[in-house]
Amino acid sequence: MSDLSNPGIIRIARANGEDALAEPVDLSERVRTLRKERGWTLEQAAQAAGLARSTLSKIENGQMSPTYDGLKKLAEGLGISVPQLFTPPRQPAPGGRMTHTPAGAGEAHVTTTYEHELLAGGLTRKAMLPYRARIRARAFEDFDGWVRHDGEEFLYVLTGQIRLYTEFYAPIDMKRGDSAYYDASMGHNVISLSPEDATILWVTSLT
């Protein structure tokens, strides 16, 4: 049996007109990588795709093969085409990458507890995800449990006062200019102690 008869192999047209074969992509790993590149939690990605959080979790863990309709929802939620779900990411060009985000021009993502403004959206495959957040939550109970994700996280208070809750430490009250660095796989939540919504800068590692 030839390679071309294997449905798991992707056929790619080179610039010189010749065909090349790409190794099959692990869909669960590809979806997880795309989600993390955007700095989304499972809940945020599931909402963007119109899928249940449990469904997306099963897809990422290889416990479920999505239907074509599910693939379309996933692709649309991630802002890519269905074929791109199965296409290996291109290797980035070495060095010299840069992007500029004017004030207020970041990509907005609003939840019941935070208003995120994603920064440096012009770059893909970043090692860090920087974003500004307006803290809407006023009590720990405003959250549906702990927020946790892969990587490490740096937090810097821009305005107002906040309380940083972490799973293994006592809560910390922080004011403008204070910062914290922590393991993001540890549960963490932030609430505003100010009459107005506090704002913070978050930088999350993606590797």
Side-chain angles (χ1 to χ4, degrees):
M1 182 174 65
S2 69
D3 286 336
L4 293 178
S5 63
N6 185 340
I9 298 292
I10 298 171
R11 190 177 182 123
I12 298 174
R14 287 177 170 156
N16 62 8
E18 297 178 356
D19 283 338
L21 296 178
E23 292 298 321
V25 171
D26 183 331
L27 179 62
S28 59
E29 181 62 31
R30 178 74 167 136
V31 171
R32 186 184 304 111
T33 298
L34 289 167
R35 173 176 65 80
K36 289 182 179 179
E37 284 179 352
R38 287 153 179 77
W40 292 351
T41 64
L42 271 171
E43 183 66 33
Q44 290 171 323
Q47 288 180 1
L51 297 172
R53 183 187 183 281
S54 58
T55 298
L56 181 57
S57 178
K58 289 178 181 178
I59 292 172
E60 286 196 4
N61 288 300
Q63 299 172 348
M64 173 184 291
S65 296
T67 63
Y68 183 72
D69 183 60
L71 289 173
K72 284 179 62 180
K73 289 182 177 180
L74 264 178
E76 290 172 2
L78 292 167
I80 61 175
S81 65
V82 172
Q84 285 177 295
L85 283 173
F86 298 94
T87 305
R90 292 181 297 176
Q91 293 299 315
R97 300 201 308 156
M98 176 180 169
T99 189
H100 168 236
T101 308
E107 183 180 351
H109 288 277
V110 180
T111 70
T112 57
T113 50
Y114 302 135
E115 291 183 18
H116 289 146
E117 182 189 2
L118 302 186
L119 308 175
L123 291 181
T124 59
R125 299 185 62 80
K126 294 185 286 289
M128 300 180 294
L129 181 76
Y131 53 103
R132 185 183 297 110
R134 180 177 295 277
I135 310 302
R136 305 172 68 182
R138 291 298 191 276
F140 184 88
E141 291 71 26
D142 291 344
F143 295 87
D144 184 17
W146 289 110
V147 173
R148 53 167 60 89
H149 48 85
D150 293 338
E152 298 179 328
E153 198 156 70
F154 174 76
L155 179 160
Y156 184 90
V157 182
L158 297 172
T159 66
Q161 293 182 306
I162 66 166
R163 178 168 293 157
L164 171 63
Y165 290 93
T166 52
E167 193 170 5
F168 305 131
Y169 298 89
I172 302 174
D173 291 352
M174 302 170 62
K175 63 183 184 305
R176 179 180 177 181
D178 289 348
S179 63
Y181 189 106
Y182 49 88
D183 183 347
S185 63
M186 172 177 62
H188 55 280
N189 293 323
V190 176
I191 68 169
S192 177
L193 298 177
S194 309
E196 71 282 359
D197 294 343
T199 59
I200 63 177
L201 173 68
W202 252 319
V203 182
T204 303
S205 68
L206 297 176
T207 56

